[in-house]
Amino acid sequence: MRARFEWDAAKDRENHRKHGVRFAAAQHAFADPRRVIALDVAHSGDEPRYFCFGRVHQGILTVRFTYRGDVIRIIGAGYWRKGKQIYERENQIHR
């Protein structure tokens, strides 16, 4: 089964401006077989939000998302140091 993704176009443009990442590229983090999924405790309210940490192109991408039925809705994405640290810790990558 193939995952389906969606996002807000205006939020995608803003994310690209601020973090240099388009949501179309961010969905590739989910294809990493070593990806790490974690609950985003700080931003979960009525709707649980999650992080996906996965390798995409030049590094480890952090993607914030939620589930809307059987669709993954991307909320934000960026190459952040904290996400890389979590990915390396969970995959036992020692530098």
Side-chain angles (χ1 to χ4, degrees):
M1 188 169 115
R2 190 176 167 126
R4 292 185 348 174
F5 296 88
E6 70 177 19
W7 51 80
D8 178 270
K11 190 111 169 107
D12 178 38
R13 287 189 299 274
E14 178 70 8
N15 194 82
H16 184 252
R17 185 186 68 74
K18 288 174 71 177
H19 306 296
V21 177
R22 292 267 185 209
F23 292 165
Q27 63 188 327
H28 295 286
F30 293 84
D32 179 354
R34 298 176 75 183
R35 72 187 172 276
V36 176
I37 305 293
L39 181 63
D40 179 359
V41 179
H43 296 98
S44 290
D46 296 336
E47 178 178 67
R49 294 191 177 183
Y50 302 89
F51 290 112
C52 174
F53 308 103
R55 183 169 296 283
V56 177
H57 303 300
Q58 70 266 31
I60 305 305
L61 187 62
T62 299
V63 182
R64 183 178 291 135
F65 71 98
T66 191
Y67 293 104
R68 300 264 172 92
D70 61 347
V71 176
I72 296 169
R73 183 168 180 86
I74 297 176
I75 300 165
Y79 290 97
W80 297 308
R81 199 169 30 249
K82 178 88 169 162
K84 181 179 180 200
Q85 291 169 349
I86 292 168
Y87 181 91
E88 290 176 347
R89 182 185 70 228
E90 294 299 314
N91 283 292
Q92 299 179 351
I93 299 170
H94 306 286
R95 301 225 175 246

